[in-house]
Amino acid sequence: MPGTVLLLAASPMGKGCLVDAASVLPVLAAVPPAVLAGADTANVVELADPLEPQAVLTRLRAAAAAPGPLTVYVAGQLQLDRRQRLPHLALARTTPATVRYTAFPWQWFREELRLRPAGATTVLLDLHADAETWEWLRGNVLDCGPTVTVYGRVAPPPGRGRRAVAAPSYMKAMATILRSGGRPGLEQLHQMATARIAGEGETGDLVLHAPAGHSTPTTPLPTPTTPPTTLPTPTPARSDPSVGVAAADGAVGVAVADGALDGDPHADISAAVRSGRHADADALAARWEQAAVVTRGPGSEEALHWAEVRADLAMFAGDAEGSCRIWMAVAVARLDAGQPVDAPAVEAAVDRAHHQWGRIGSADRARELGPALARLRGRVPGRHEGALDHVQEQLRQLQTQG
């Protein structure tokens, strides 16, 4: 099956630029697509210094929906937004004051890649951090979700008096190795690239190394002060045996033993969606959601994760109303759990509910859901200016149609 490769290089213009991210693209472009992907054939999409977060989101979403292996190469710099202090990939127009509106939230990588089968997605990172982001990394995890394999490095902020724009040397080293012929395994490729830049005097990097489904500590190249960070291991929810349902012929099943739902069901869910067995996919996700509710609580991250999966599955099945209802329920659950109205996961849930509401074909059904969505939009305006006005205007039009 052909692979997909997304090459993303982004850094801000002007004096805030820490790395010339786009300089790596010609080197990567010289590598055959199949070698970049580690597959027999591959389609390559390139994004050089994009201006808008939505443009990046569109390309990432399309790449994530493609069947077969996906490899994402990201070179750029990390910055925190001033309101929530969360990491973003800085884009061409990003300044310290506009991160929240002009940069790409790192959380979106997790959200867009979460439904891909475990082991089918690799993200290779060559990132630079400013001082604030480097401090954030000392106590927080930078990952792309439990089903995604991540390799790479985050370079520390430049020392005082050093204003030269850095090069994405880790990614360039990786591309140079790939151009030399052959395609070493990811672990070996990563080690070769980090060894090469360490030999050139680049030390102090935060080294990212996390195979999908495994907990692997991030480790630094030799340096006096480095962030102690560990990537989490996904843990299947424990469940009552009654949660398990036997699979019919050709349907997605789940093993139940000793009262547990075993394994990682994401691959089975994705396979069911690709083959058009949407009801089977939803049934499997619903069992995992119920198990998480029973064992972790309805407001737990695990339960909410499976609710979000079911919202996406409803979308894939063409059930815009069902998807909208689930996304609204997720948003309310997060708010009830005390999450702020501008938390990325809350905003994303409301944005997706809004989007699905606009795709409901029945005017009666849309009119029924409209007031609840308007109330939710009033609490969570999101990043898109005029979102509440849009809901209210559409609702007025629907009411006149009735």
Side-chain angles (χ1 to χ4, degrees):
M1 184 177 292
T4 300
V5 176
L6 176 61
L7 306 179
L8 170 57
S11 53
M13 298 180 289
K15 63 181 182 180
C17 181
L18 298 177
V19 58
D20 182 10
S23 66
V24 76
L25 291 177
V27 188
L28 287 170
V31 180
V35 177
L36 287 173
D40 293 336
T41 60
N43 301 310
V44 178
V45 177
E46 180 179 302
L47 275 174
D49 284 326
L51 300 177
E52 300 293 340
Q54 288 297 325
V56 180
L57 180 62
T58 298
R59 296 298 180 90
L60 177 62
R61 185 169 291 170
L70 169 63
T71 307
V72 182
Y73 294 78
V74 182
Q77 72 184 60
L78 293 173
Q79 291 182 234
L80 303 181
D81 69 287
R82 289 182 172 177
R83 179 181 297 183
Q84 294 180 284
R85 316 299 294 171
L86 292 176
H88 292 62
L89 181 70
L91 303 184
R93 294 175 177 171
T94 300
T95 66
T98 65
V99 170
R100 176 172 164 79
Y101 303 101
T102 62
F104 187 80
W106 197 261
Q107 176 70 17
W108 288 5
F109 282 108
R110 291 180 58 93
E111 291 177 3
E112 297 305 320
L113 300 176
R114 71 178 183 273
L115 279 183
R116 289 191 52 84
T121 309
T122 301
V123 178
L124 302 171
L125 303 172
D126 190 346
L127 302 170
H128 286 64
D130 61 15
E132 290 182 332
T133 309
W134 188 253
E135 185 63 27
W136 182 90
L137 288 166
R138 293 177 63 84
N140 295 275
V141 173
L142 186 75
D143 71 343
C144 296
T147 65
V148 179
T149 296
V150 176
Y151 289 97
R153 66 89 178 250
V154 182
R160 290 185 178 180
R162 295 180 57 188
R163 295 189 177 181
V165 175
S169 53
Y170 169 83
M171 195 74 73
K172 285 186 174 181
M174 188 172 287
T176 301
I177 294 166
L178 293 175
R179 288 177 61 190
S180 64
R183 217 286 190 176
L186 284 172
E187 173 73 26
Q188 183 182 3
L189 178 62
H190 169 70
Q191 291 180 355
M192 293 169 68
T194 54
R196 179 169 295 195
I197 63 174
E200 294 173 354
E202 290 199 36
T203 60
D205 292 352
L206 172 64
V207 179
L208 306 171
H209 170 199
H214 292 78
S215 178
T216 303
T218 55
T219 56
L221 296 180
T223 181
T225 306
T226 51
T229 309
T230 302
L231 295 176
T233 301
T235 304
R238 306 301 296 179
S239 168
D240 185 275
S242 63
V243 175
V245 179
D249 291 341
V252 175
V254 58
V256 179
D258 298 326
L261 292 179
D262 293 332
D264 181 353
H266 291 85
D268 287 339
I269 290 172
S270 297
V273 171
R274 287 195 294 271
S275 63
R277 293 181 287 114
H278 298 287
D280 293 336
D282 181 68
L284 179 54
R287 292 198 292 275
W288 279 76
E289 180 187 9
Q290 180 60 30
V293 168
V294 169
T295 59
R296 306 287 177 86
S300 66
E301 277 300 320
E302 189 164 358
L304 292 173
H305 164 75
W306 287 110
E308 291 174 348
V309 168
R310 294 190 65 204
D312 279 337
L313 292 176
M315 176 190 68
F316 294 146
D319 181 9
E321 179 191 352
S323 182
C324 177
R325 288 182 183 275
I326 297 173
W327 279 120
M328 286 198 298
V330 168
V332 170
R334 290 190 178 280
L335 290 168
D336 289 347
Q339 296 187 23
V341 296
D342 58 357
V346 174
E347 290 183 336
V350 178
D351 286 346
R352 293 183 179 195
H354 188 162
H355 177 71
Q356 290 300 307
W357 181 69
R359 299 176 68 87
I360 297 174
S362 167
D364 289 338
R365 295 293 191 182
R367 189 162 47 243
E368 177 187 343
L369 280 176
L373 179 61
R375 289 192 296 272
L376 192 55
R377 262 296 179 212
R379 297 176 66 187
V380 186
R383 305 185 183 206
H384 304 289
E385 186 176 353
L388 175 59
D389 292 340
H390 177 266
V391 174
Q392 293 172 335
E393 176 61 28
Q394 291 298 109
L395 188 56
R396 282 193 292 269
Q397 293 181 13
L398 288 169
Q399 288 169 342
T400 59
Q401 292 175 17

